[in-house]
Amino acid sequence: HSNAHAVTASSRNLTDRQLQAIGESGGMVGLNFATCFLRPDGRDSADMTLDPVKRHIEHMLKLAGEDSVGIGSDYDGATTPKDIGGVEGLPVLIQAMRDLPKVCRYLHLPVQSGSNRVLARMNRGYTREHYLDNVFKLRDTCPEIAIASDMIGGFPGETDADFEATMALVRAVGY
């Protein structure tokens, strides 16, 4: 996940040449929602509009092409714009997918675990049901979307039942 260096001069963000190379090679980049990579001032603050997000997407689309830019980000541990927040901000992303038809229909949506007990122990701000509800809404809105995720197996204290709940979530989502 990365953003455009020409929009926000962070060393983590991709240069124009790197974005062009991604497009030329048929690769893909997912926009990162961490505010320090979005804000022109580099601050780690959620107090921002979504305008910089749109500027990054537009710049990345111009250089990499519409099949090479997706929406992907880790939510936990990163400060994201207040309108997105965590996974609870998925409706904002669904609207972005509708409003930006040239964005690749890909979303990296980390769940970490399919067990509410483990999610609570990880201090995630969502439940398995909330995650699945949002995935199904997203698929209703954008049936062709590809969804990717991160899972943590063997989290301290995870039981066989917790692991099976994660596997059931994987089957339900159909990553």
Side-chain angles (χ1 to χ4, degrees), residues 12-145:
R12 159 94 184 249
N13 290 344
L14 298 174
T15 65
D16 287 357
R17 181 63 200 124
Q18 288 171 315
L19 288 168
Q20 289 166 339
I22 288 169
E24 290 166 4
S25 68
M28 200 201 76
V29 61
L31 180 81
N32 186 320
F33 295 115
T35 59
C36 59
F37 305 127
L38 289 168
R39 297 172 60 102
D41 61 11
R43 286 186 34 229
D44 188 27
S45 170
D47 188 24
M48 62 177 285
T49 68
L50 293 181
D51 289 337
V53 173
K54 293 175 186 173
R55 282 195 302 277
H56 279 276
I57 290 173
E58 289 166 356
H59 189 82
M60 293 162 72
L61 285 170
K62 182 175 76 174
L63 295 172
E66 63 186 73
D67 292 329
S68 294
V69 179
I71 294 177
S73 193
D74 294 324
Y75 297 100
D76 297 312
T79 303
T80 59
K82 64 182 175 216
D83 289 341
I84 295 174
V87 72
E88 67 277 1
L90 190 57
V92 173
L93 299 180
I94 293 169
Q95 186 61 46
M97 294 295 248
R98 277 192 237 138
D99 293 346
L100 297 164
K102 292 185 177 185
V103 171
C104 180
R105 298 306 189 230
Y106 166 88
L107 179 65
H108 182 256
L109 191 63
V111 68
Q112 309 303 340
S113 177
S115 162
N116 285 334
R117 190 182 77 80
V118 172
L119 289 170
R121 291 191 59 236
M122 291 177 167
N123 294 317
R124 306 303 187 207
Y126 52 89
T127 63
R128 162 197 182 90
E129 292 77 20
H130 186 251
Y131 182 90
L132 285 170
D133 182 54
N134 280 311
V135 166
F136 297 141
K137 285 178 187 173
L138 180 60
R139 288 243 164 95
D140 286 344
T141 302
C142 189
E144 70 277 12
I145 192 145

Side-chain angles (χ1 to χ4, degrees), residues 151-171:
M151 276 82 162
I152 298 172
F155 188 77
E158 181 183 60
T159 66
D160 287 345
D162 295 323
F163 178 79
E164 287 306 320
T166 299
M167 295 309 298
L169 182 134
V170 168
R171 288 188 292 275

